[in-house]
Amino acid sequence: ANPIGVKVGPSMKNDELKELLQILNPTKEEGRIMIITRYGAGKVEQLLPGHIQAVKECGVPVTWQCDAVHGNGIVAASNKYKTR
């Protein structure tokens, strides 16, 4: 089966993540799910530990990927261009 990438950000509740992983991979197949974390530097410390715990509790194996530039953009005052 093809792997599935799941973007996980600040709006994802821990229980929602557990439920989603169990739906997407009920047989707990290795290599099936990649979680792409998208918090931004200001929220990662607050949210990542809960999502890690949720994944551990549901027992579904995942590969973790960090979208390091998400939420970390700067908008230039002069031209309104966003850079990361």
Side-chain angles (χ1 to χ4, degrees):
N2 292 328
I4 300 170
V6 179
K7 294 179 183 178
V8 176
S11 64
M12 176 77 67
K13 305 290 185 245
N14 296 341
D15 289 339
E16 292 172 335
L17 179 56
K18 286 195 283 191
E19 182 180 356
L20 180 61
L21 292 175
Q22 290 166 346
I23 290 168
L24 293 176
N25 193 5
T27 61
K28 300 180 180 179
E29 178 185 348
E30 290 279 344
R32 179 83 170 137
I33 305 291
M34 174 178 284
I35 293 181
I36 305 161
T37 58
R38 300 173 53 121
Y39 307 116
K43 296 180 182 175
V44 67
E45 191 173 353
Q46 171 193 356
L47 298 168
L48 182 59
H51 286 155
I52 291 172
Q53 187 61 37
V55 170
K56 287 180 179 180
E57 288 174 5
C58 77
V60 174
V62 303
T63 300
W64 292 91
Q65 161 74 43
C66 175
D67 182 351
V69 296
H70 182 80
N72 296 317
I74 298 169
V75 178
S78 62
N79 59 16
K80 304 297 184 208
Y81 289 161
K82 185 175 187 179
T83 60
R84 295 180 178 170

